[in-house]
Amino acid sequence: MIRLIILWLLFFLIITAFIAIGIFFPDQFDLSKWHDSLKDLIITVIGAFLGFISALELNKFNEKRKSAETKKNYTQSLLRDINKIIENLSSTFQKDDTGSITFKDLQNELFYFELPIWEAMVSSGEVNLFNNELFFDDLCELAAIIKTLNNIESNLMIAKMVNSKINIDMIRVQKLEEIYGTCEKIHKILTQPKKSKLSCLLLKLSSIVFS
């Protein structure tokens, strides 16, 4: 874009130089002979420039629209994955009036969770679409916790083949609580009404002023 502007300015400098020579040196350079040619050249260049700018802006608009649509589809799929995890975990614990959860006996339970849409986003590089989202750090943390728990479950299954009395429920409960809490946090962010950019800006300003 900068190169285009420089070429555009250079073109006008050349035209201005021609006109200046015709004005200050009329005997050596008859401007009237070049009038029609210069006019046609200027119209052609302006038309080409405007056409290029229009095509560039249209391309930018289409890219933004495509990115927004891709982001929306990913968000919907991500919400389905989160809901599935919450639903699977809800049958394994009880929640009291204070919101505290108590897991049932996990001795005979094995857990394996997936975030397929997250893996697809990472592999395609489109995870960058969510860099500025409030839930991005939580989503990264959730993926890491799930990976850790899945490794624990895999190793536990092998260990139980050797020693059926082995028990590491304390660690498993900790990871399950972290997964459930993070999923609920992400779910809340994804399902809450979107705030306008102005309201977000005012919220940030108020937090700065009163901090």
Side-chain angles (χ1 to χ4, degrees):
M1 189 65 183
I2 295 176
R3 290 181 180 179
L4 182 62
I5 294 174
I6 293 174
L7 290 174
W8 184 247
L9 291 174
L10 183 60
F11 168 75
F12 271 105
L13 285 174
I14 293 173
I15 296 299
T16 303
F18 269 109
I19 295 174
I21 292 173
I23 293 174
F24 292 105
F25 304 98
D27 296 333
Q28 290 81 9
F29 187 83
D30 188 359
L31 191 61
S32 61
K33 294 180 180 179
W34 295 86
H35 179 268
D36 291 338
S37 298
L38 287 174
K39 183 176 70 173
D40 291 341
L41 179 61
I42 291 173
I43 292 174
T44 301
V45 172
I46 290 176
F49 178 76
L50 293 177
F52 178 79
I53 292 298
S54 298
L56 189 63
E57 290 301 319
L58 181 61
N59 184 61
K60 286 182 179 179
F61 172 78
N62 288 332
E63 287 294 328
K64 287 182 179 179
R65 183 177 59 82
K66 183 179 178 181
S67 295
E69 186 176 349
T70 301
K71 188 175 180 179
K72 180 181 178 181
N73 292 335
Y74 273 138
T75 301
Q76 292 174 345
S77 299
L78 182 62
L79 185 57
R80 284 196 296 268
D81 289 348
I82 295 296
N83 285 335
K84 185 177 180 180
I85 294 174
I86 293 175
E87 183 180 349
N88 290 339
L89 279 176
S90 296
S91 61
T92 63
F93 66 80
Q94 293 178 337
K95 184 183 289 187
D96 59 23
D97 296 335
T98 63
S100 298
I101 59 177
T102 303
F103 281 91
K104 302 174 184 178
D105 183 19
L106 304 179
Q107 185 66 21
N108 297 318
E109 297 283 346
L110 285 175
F111 298 93
Y112 184 82
F113 299 108
E114 290 182 303
L115 280 175
I117 195 62
W118 167 260
E119 294 172 3
M121 288 160 54
V122 172
S123 62
S124 66
E126 291 179 319
V127 68
N128 294 327
L129 292 172
F130 295 89
N131 280 347
N132 297 323
E133 294 294 335
L134 293 174
F135 60 85
F136 181 75
D137 290 340
D138 295 316
L139 191 56
C140 293
E141 182 181 357
L142 176 62
I145 299 171
I146 286 177
K147 184 177 180 180
T148 300
L149 179 65
N150 288 344
N151 288 335
I152 291 174
E153 296 297 297
S154 298
N155 294 329
L156 179 62
M157 185 167 56
I158 296 172
K160 280 188 174 183
M161 293 178 183
V162 179
N163 183 0
S164 60
K165 295 182 179 180
I166 190 169
N167 191 343
I168 54 171
D169 284 353
M170 186 177 296
I171 300 175
R172 299 171 72 204
V173 165
Q174 179 187 352
K175 295 304 175 185
L176 290 171
E177 288 176 346
E178 291 175 357
I179 289 174
Y180 182 77
T182 308
C183 281
E184 279 204 321
K185 185 177 179 181
I186 296 173
H187 181 273
K188 184 178 180 181
I189 295 174
L190 290 176
T191 54
Q192 70 182 3
K194 290 285 185 181
K195 296 181 180 179
S196 65
K197 292 183 178 180
L198 178 60
S199 61
C200 290
L201 178 60
L202 292 175
L203 184 63
K204 288 182 179 180
L205 288 175
S206 61
S207 63
I208 294 173
V209 172
F210 295 105
S211 60

